[in-house]
Amino acid sequence: MVTRRDFLAGTGIAALSLTAGLRLSQAQAKDLPASGGSLSWGVETEPSTLNPHLNGQAKAKLILRNSYETLLARTPDGGYVPWLAKSYSVSDDGKTYTFTLRDDVTFSDGEKLDAAAVALNFTKLKEPTYSGSISAGHVSHVSEAIALDSHTVALKLNDVYSPFLDGASGIEILSPKSFSSSQLKSGGPEIAGTGPFILDSYIKGQEIRFRKNPTYNWAPDNAAHHGPAYLDEVIYRFLPESAVRTGALTSGQVHVIEGIAGNDAALFKDNLDFTYQSAINTGTPYTLFLNVTIGPTTDLRVRKAVLAAIDVERVIASVYRGERERAWGILTPADTDFYDKSIEGRYGFDAGLANSLLDEAGWTAKDAEGFRTKDGKRLTIEIVQSQATLRDQRDILLQAVQAQARQNAGIDLALQYVDAGTYANRQKDGQYGIIPNSTTTQENGVTIYFHYLQRNKGGSINYSRTEAPEISAWLDEAASTLDARKRFEIYAQLQRFALLDQALGLPLYVPDDQIAASIAVKGVGFRPFKRLPENAYDIWLQQPA
């Protein structure tokens, strides 16, 4: 009797079947996350400080989130899921936020996370000598941080402040020992966090290294896995030039890069050796904020002329080759809860209008170089750009804007690139005509609040320096209600007033982060809500077959 197995064996089909099964198993195994290995990532921005409390660079969060974590994590729609806190509640009067903490979390210096540690973090952040302008932000609304028991902390507010949850839940929690370290301001290995990686070493201008935290087991609910990170080590190399980052990836010197120039995106798209991803950010677009307190931009007609003189669509298309989106509002379209789409197309390039407004403002004469003048003085507006945020081809973009202003309206936009210290002083003293900037680190309401809040009330990033009473009233009204629909209506009014009526800024483009990686890199991606590149926790390296 010949069995089916004998028949298959005789024809070789059984052997083929077994081989196919083996190949399938190998393929399946190849797709399973593998532990071990060292990942090298080329990044555009070097952190100004390694203390996450004091670092306001959105780009630096990619690096710092490896070691430092927050009470809650965010979902794509802006909701909250447990992280260091298991749950939270808000009192009926909206003035007390209570967080129940996990009881199994340990800082990398061996200290246990408890309510006293969390309360200490908020208490320290309220001290101007430690946190500087941060103390005038959302933590300024905290009257008291109290450890109710070992794992329950209450944050009591002076008043109802609707953006508070995002601000509070997004503060990185440091070990109590960190606050007595000599590295507190600069950051470093002594500033312990709870993250999946431990800061190992930092070579200024070159790289920063993290090693796996072997005891880590408290990832947020929306993480792709739980337990320790897959990688043994992750190294971030500081490569500020886009072409250098691209070359490092294509030559195999690094596994991943972020910040891909529009001209280079085609090298990775549809290339089977690499993966390419992009995502627009929440927050504010890269915007030219016009100072209403000094120089020509004190005149509303001049501010409106600047907005009309720049052909933004043409500039963005020329610089970014279709890889960036023109911006319209004070928020990006990714801010689906407060972005007012109705403002799109309500203003824009109109050279005739720009020149008419400048004539009306008295800038009627021109000098030998074609710039407008009044009373023998050139129409010069100084743009002060921080070197620390000069990324994503923004130098080329500003040069294109400068050329448009000169060509279309005879406006002299004088570009000044300054270091962090000079930038901070110029911003504080208001010694600039325009500051270009974008913000991605805060929730939408917080972003609006601190960009337009009067500076003497804590508006640390009120670059236009507006003190318009209408704006102050809207900010107070929005902050005092927890009704999201009402807040949207208030912020929509504020947005139209700020851009259409007052010309406080010219949004240029929507910040867009990009990641390109070797095909062997798996699990790389973006944070669910703010859409910045995520840390290395869920990343693993596929082993060669």
Side-chain angles (χ1 to χ4, degrees):
M1 176 179 177
V2 178
T3 66
R4 173 176 171 79
R5 181 177 178 84
D6 293 333
F7 174 78
L8 292 174
T11 59
I13 295 177
L16 289 172
S17 178
L18 289 171
T19 301
L22 179 61
R23 287 175 178 167
L24 180 61
S25 298
Q26 290 174 335
Q28 290 173 332
K30 194 175 181 182
D31 290 334
L32 294 175
S35 294
S38 175
L39 181 86
S40 182
W41 190 321
V43 295
E44 187 171 16
T45 302
E46 181 172 1
S48 58
T49 170
L50 301 183
N51 181 334
H53 283 172
L54 308 181
N55 191 303
Q57 300 165 287
K59 282 280 197 176
K61 296 300 181 183
L62 158 66
I63 297 172
L64 299 179
R65 276 170 64 90
N66 286 290
S67 286
Y68 307 105
E69 300 181 313
T70 59
L71 294 174
L72 301 174
R74 305 300 294 273
T75 58
D77 62 358
Y80 304 88
V81 295
W83 199 347
L84 298 181
K86 294 191 297 185
S87 62
Y88 73 94
S89 62
V90 184
S91 62
D92 291 340
D93 65 1
K95 294 184 180 181
T96 301
Y97 289 72
T98 303
F99 295 88
T100 302
L101 308 177
R102 295 181 63 128
D103 58 7
D104 60 346
V105 179
T106 304
F107 291 100
S108 61
D109 62 5
E111 294 288 303
K112 295 287 290 185
L113 173 77
D114 59 17
V118 174
L120 177 62
N121 274 255
F122 281 90
T123 300
K124 296 299 291 186
L125 281 165
K126 283 180 62 63
E127 298 177 3
T129 54
Y130 168 56
S131 62
S133 63
I134 299 172
S135 64
H138 39 258
V139 296
S140 67
H141 295 267
V142 178
S143 62
E144 194 174 11
I146 308 170
L148 300 179
D149 58 39
S150 61
H151 287 90
T152 309
V153 62
L155 303 176
K156 295 183 177 294
L157 308 189
N158 294 310
D159 49 8
V160 176
Y161 177 59
S162 55
F164 181 73
L165 183 58
D166 179 77
S169 65
I171 288 176
E172 297 87 351
I173 305 301
L174 310 183
S175 166
K177 289 182 180 179
S178 302
F179 295 102
S180 59
S181 169
S182 62
Q183 297 180 348
L184 184 59
K185 288 298 179 89
S186 64
E190 292 180 10
I191 309 305
T194 60
F197 292 91
I198 300 170
L199 177 57
D200 200 20
S201 66
Y202 169 54
I203 303 175
K204 187 174 179 60
Q206 296 184 39
E207 66 178 32
I208 183 168
R209 289 176 178 256
F210 295 87
R211 68 181 187 277
K212 180 194 293 191
N213 181 350
T215 64
Y216 185 80
N217 196 29
W218 44 85
D221 281 7
N222 58 353
H225 83 288
H226 290 82
Y230 297 123
L231 296 167
D232 292 330
E233 178 186 53
V234 57
I235 306 163
Y236 294 93
R237 295 180 54 194
F238 307 127
L239 306 174
E241 296 295 328
S242 176
V244 173
R245 290 193 302 279
T246 297
L249 178 58
T250 55
S251 64
Q253 297 176 58
V254 298
H255 297 94
V256 191
I257 60 172
E258 55 83 29
I260 294 99
N263 290 341
D264 293 339
L267 295 173
F268 306 110
K269 287 184 175 182
D270 303 319
N271 186 331
L272 296 180
D273 292 328
F274 301 96
T275 60
Y276 178 86
Q277 305 173 62
S278 65
I280 63 172
N281 303 147
T282 57
T284 58
Y286 185 64
T287 301
L288 303 181
F289 292 97
L290 282 67
N291 189 345
V292 302
T293 66
I294 190 173
T297 51
T298 58
D299 190 327
L300 175 60
R301 294 166 296 187
V302 173
R303 297 199 303 272
K304 287 189 173 183
V306 172
L307 268 64
I310 312 301
D311 189 345
V312 176
E313 282 90 349
R314 182 177 178 183
V315 168
I316 300 304
S318 173
V319 174
Y320 296 111
R321 308 296 178 90
E323 295 296 328
R324 302 293 183 274
E325 178 181 340
R326 188 247 157 94
W328 289 100
I330 63 176
L331 294 173
T332 76
D335 292 313
T336 54
D337 45 1
F338 296 133
Y339 178 71
D340 181 17
K341 189 175 178 61
S342 71
I343 201 169
E344 295 180 6
R346 294 277 297 277
Y347 66 96
F349 173 57
D350 187 335
L353 174 62
N355 285 282
S356 175
L357 287 166
L358 293 176
D359 287 342
E360 183 182 331
W363 297 92
T364 53
K366 287 190 177 182
D367 62 18
E369 295 182 61
F371 292 111
R372 286 178 175 264
T373 64
K374 181 167 65 173
D375 300 328
K377 185 177 181 180
R378 178 181 286 186
L379 177 52
T380 298
I381 304 171
E382 188 179 39
I383 297 180
V384 177
Q385 167 67 59
S386 170
Q387 289 282 3
T389 58
L390 191 60
R391 59 180 179 85
D392 200 17
Q393 297 177 280
R394 289 177 176 179
D395 53 342
I396 300 173
L397 174 62
L398 291 177
Q399 291 169 16
V401 167
Q402 180 187 49
Q404 286 260 319
R406 177 178 184 174
Q407 175 183 331
N408 297 327
I411 302 171
D412 178 22
L413 297 182
L415 302 180
Q416 296 290 332
Y417 301 106
V418 299
D419 59 43
T422 303
Y423 177 78
N425 290 334
R426 297 284 292 274
Q427 180 192 340
K428 180 181 177 181
D429 297 338
Q431 297 302 305
Y432 58 87
I434 292 174
I435 277 185
N437 204 272
S438 62
T439 306
T440 316
T441 55
Q442 301 287 6
E443 182 261 353
N444 314 336
V446 177
T447 296
I448 297 172
Y449 198 73
F450 292 113
H451 270 92
Y452 296 95
L453 184 68
Q454 292 181 13
R455 292 183 62 83
N456 61 1
K457 294 182 178 180
S460 58
I461 51 176
N462 180 352
Y463 301 119
S464 68
R465 305 180 78 84
T466 181
E467 294 188 359
E470 298 93 335
I471 289 180
S472 295
W474 284 323
L475 290 174
D476 289 343
E477 184 181 3
S480 64
T481 179
L482 300 179
D483 184 331
R485 182 62 198 174
K486 186 175 181 180
R487 289 178 72 198
F488 170 82
E489 293 170 353
I490 295 167
Y491 289 141
Q493 291 180 74
L494 187 155
Q495 179 167 227
R496 291 190 288 269
F497 180 80
L499 296 181
L500 303 181
D501 296 340
Q502 291 296 304
L504 299 179
L506 174 60
L508 295 178
Y509 78 96
V510 179
D512 182 327
D513 273 294
Q514 315 82 35
I515 303 172
S518 162
I519 196 65
V521 177
K522 306 298 180 182
V524 66
F526 297 94
R527 292 166 62 179
F529 177 58
K530 295 176 182 175
R531 307 300 288 156
L532 293 164
E534 185 55 288
N535 65 21
Y537 174 63
D538 285 321
I539 298 177
W540 55 282
L541 292 172
Q542 189 177 62
Q543 302 303 315

